[in-house]
């Protein structure tokens, strides 16, 4: 068999290519970077051929970073209808760019982007026998936000001062830049800037360094800034401050000691007054008991009963008990209760061996009448 001529081979190959030409996706961009909250359009335009006679299907899927997981359908166009209820995380935030995707535009709009929307998306277009797909990587970045400026170190002449700047939000890589709010916006010659940490070191600060400084934080999708006021002053007189502090402390201790002494003195005076009020005078002898006086008188009477005779017993019995000598005889009769002496019959006294005697009467002062 003779080989085919080269010209014939070329014609056959061209005809084969024309016959197999089918659906083709024409969009080329495959990388997108957007800021959170913005809108993005993922392109997916296509061209159909005459050979593509089957039903048109357009499908957007999210390819997970983990190969072990399955693809998730986001939105789909099939049989002249749009289905967008598959992916709950984007419900209400996604749509086809063209309401009629069969016109050749199957691009996808995602609204109000979130950082979680970062990932790889794939557009699949099917129209039998043609099938084409295209992958697009989307990165959602967060703009710098809530940037704060601060000053570290004493703002004194000759000291090192550090101006700090940091953003509470923002996707890496963040970059910081300081500038001075002045006509030239130039930083002092002795300053050292670290753009990664946001620190500006002012060595051997002087009053010429005083002023307003602004920090600008930035990344690929946005910027944010803050300002701080620097006021470099002469060093403070620390010796005077220390002396004043010591003097104030001593004065405070003196006042405290005086108050404690005054309170203790008042307490002692009140205690002494209470003791004097309840004190019993020691120079006043205690009153003698009546019972002892009465017992001594009765005893003396009994001792003298032995010398009493029956003839004079009657006179003895008539002697009033109120005439008994006592230390309390000066009291009024109302204050001195009278005690009636026991009466003993004369025969009983005789049997007891009593001898009747005559007892002379006595006055109130104790003298014999």
């Amino acid at each position: 068999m003779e080989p085919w001529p080269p010209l014939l081979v070329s014609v056959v190959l061209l005809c084969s290519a024309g016959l197999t030409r089918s659906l083709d996706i024409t969009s080329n961009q495959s990388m997108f970077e957007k800021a959170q909250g913005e809108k993005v359009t993922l392109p997916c335009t296509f061209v159909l051929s005459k050979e593509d006679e089957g039903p048109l299907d357009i499908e957007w899927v999210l390819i997970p970073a983990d190969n072990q997981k399955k693809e998730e359908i986001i939105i789909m166009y099939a049989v002249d209808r749009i289905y967008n209820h598959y992916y709950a995380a984007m419900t209400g935030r996604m749509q086809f760019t063209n309401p009629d995707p069969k016109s050749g535009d199957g691009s996808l709009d995602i609204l109000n982007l979130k950082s979680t929307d970062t990932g790889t998306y794939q557009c699949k277009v099917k129209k039998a026998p043609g099938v084409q797909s295209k992958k697009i990587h989307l990165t959602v970045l967060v703009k710098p936000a809530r940037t704060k400026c601060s000053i570290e170190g004493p703002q004194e002449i000759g000291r090192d001062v550090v101006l700090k700047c940091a953003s509470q939000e923002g996707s890496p890589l963040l970059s910081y830049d300081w500038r001075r709010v002045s006509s030239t916006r130039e930083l002092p010659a002795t300053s050292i800037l670290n753009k990664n940490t946001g620190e500006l070191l002012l060595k051997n600060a002087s009053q010429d360094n005083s002023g307003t400084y602004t920090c600008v934080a930035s990344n690929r999708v946005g910027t944010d800034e803050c300002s701080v006021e620097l006021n470099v002053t002469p060093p403070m007189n620390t010796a005077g401050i220390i002396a004043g502090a010591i003097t104030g402390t001593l004065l405070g201790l003196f006042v405290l000691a005086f108050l404690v002494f005054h309170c203790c003195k008042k307490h002692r005076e009140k205690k002494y007054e209470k003791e004097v009020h309840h004190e019993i005078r020691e120079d006043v002898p205690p009153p003698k008991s009546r019972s002892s006086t009465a017992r001594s008188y009765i005893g003396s009477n009994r001792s003298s009963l032995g010398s009493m005779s029956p003839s004079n017993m009657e006179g003895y019995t008539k002697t009033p008990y109120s005439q008994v000598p006592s230390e309390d005889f000066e009291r009024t009769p109302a204050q001195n209760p009278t005690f009636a002496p026991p009466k003993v019959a004369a025969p009983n006294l005789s049997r007891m061996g009593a001898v009747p005697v005559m007892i002379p009467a006595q006055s109130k002062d104790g003298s014999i009448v």
Side-chain angles (χ1 to χ4, degrees):
M1 182 178 180
E2 295 181 1
W4 290 3
L7 182 58
L8 182 59
V9 173
S10 300
V11 172
V12 171
L13 291 174
L14 289 173
C15 292
S16 301
L19 292 174
T20 58
R21 181 182 178 275
S22 60
L23 184 149
D24 183 29
I25 296 178
T26 58
S27 54
N28 297 321
Q29 189 173 356
S30 59
M31 297 287 292
F32 287 87
E33 279 188 355
K34 290 291 182 178
Q36 181 174 265
E38 294 182 349
K39 168 190 171 182
V40 66
T41 298
L42 304 182
C44 184
T45 55
F46 56 91
V47 177
L48 299 174
S49 68
K50 295 179 180 180
E51 288 77 14
D52 300 325
E53 297 178 353
L56 177 64
D57 292 337
I58 303 174
E59 184 179 272
W60 278 95
V61 297
L62 176 62
I63 300 176
D66 187 357
N67 295 330
Q68 302 297 327
K69 296 181 179 180
K70 295 182 179 180
E71 298 177 351
E72 293 187 72
I73 299 176
I74 299 174
I75 191 171
M76 184 173 63
Y77 174 84
V79 193
D80 296 332
R81 291 188 61 184
I82 296 176
Y83 303 89
N84 57 2
H85 59 276
Y86 295 101
Y87 192 51
M90 287 188 180
T91 300
R93 297 192 299 120
M94 59 181 174
Q95 62 188 19
F96 280 109
T97 304
N98 192 326
D100 186 15
K102 66 182 180 181
S103 63
D105 187 3
S107 302
L108 175 66
D109 289 342
I110 303 177
L111 312 175
N112 190 22
L113 286 171
K114 300 180 180 180
S115 57
T116 53
D117 295 337
T118 297
T120 301
Y121 297 80
Q122 185 178 42
C123 175
K124 296 180 180 180
V125 181
K126 305 175 184 177
K127 189 172 177 64
V131 177
Q132 287 290 337
S133 65
K134 182 176 181 61
K135 292 181 180 180
I136 300 175
H137 185 75
L138 172 65
T139 302
V140 180
L141 301 176
V142 179
K143 295 179 181 180
R146 298 167 58 194
T147 304
K148 294 184 178 180
C149 296
S150 60
I151 300 177
E152 185 178 87
Q155 302 179 49
E156 297 178 357
I157 295 176
R159 304 293 292 270
D160 291 347
V161 182
V162 179
L163 306 185
K164 291 189 172 184
C165 178
S167 293
Q168 304 297 317
E169 299 177 6
S171 300
L173 297 168
L174 285 174
S175 177
Y176 298 94
D177 189 22
W178 282 93
R179 63 172 179 263
R180 187 175 179 181
V181 181
S182 62
S183 57
T184 60
R185 293 196 174 187
E186 293 182 359
L187 296 174
T190 59
S191 63
I192 301 175
L193 173 62
N194 187 330
K195 291 192 174 186
N196 295 326
T197 62
E199 294 185 357
L200 176 65
L201 173 62
L202 301 178
K203 297 184 68 67
N204 193 21
S206 65
Q207 286 186 318
D208 294 337
N209 299 147
S210 299
T212 303
Y213 291 78
T214 299
C215 171
V216 180
S218 61
N219 60 9
R220 294 195 299 269
V221 292
T223 63
D224 190 34
E225 63 181 45
C226 63
S227 298
V228 67
E229 184 73 23
L230 177 65
N231 185 22
V232 182
T233 59
M236 300 177 65
N237 185 6
T238 55
I241 294 175
I242 295 174
I246 294 175
T247 303
T249 303
L250 293 177
L251 182 60
L253 291 175
F254 174 77
V255 173
L256 180 62
F258 175 77
L259 293 175
V260 171
F261 172 77
H262 183 70
C263 292
C264 292
K265 184 178 178 182
K266 286 290 185 182
H267 180 71
R268 286 196 300 268
E269 290 177 356
K270 290 182 179 180
K271 184 177 180 181
Y272 177 75
E273 291 176 359
K274 290 182 180 179
E275 290 177 354
V276 171
H277 180 71
H278 296 287
E279 185 180 20
I280 300 175
R281 294 184 61 185
E282 297 180 356
D283 56 347
V284 178
K288 293 183 178 180
S289 173
R290 287 185 180 180
S291 59
S292 61
T293 306
R295 282 195 299 269
S296 63
Y297 172 75
I298 294 172
S300 62
N301 256 355
R302 286 181 179 177
S303 63
S304 61
L305 287 177
S307 60
M308 293 178 66
S309 61
S311 60
N312 57 11
M313 274 300 296
E314 183 177 357
Y316 171 77
T317 58
K318 293 180 181 180
T319 303
Y321 187 78
S322 60
Q323 295 180 359
V324 177
S326 172
E327 293 180 359
D328 298 334
F329 65 86
E330 294 182 358
R331 296 182 182 179
T332 60
Q335 295 177 345
N336 295 324
T338 59
F339 297 91
K343 295 182 179 182
V344 181
N348 293 336
L349 291 175
S350 299
R351 284 194 294 270
M352 293 169 60
V355 179
V357 294
M358 180 65 70
I359 299 176
Q362 294 182 354
S363 63
K364 292 183 179 181
D365 56 358
S367 60
I368 298 175
V369 180

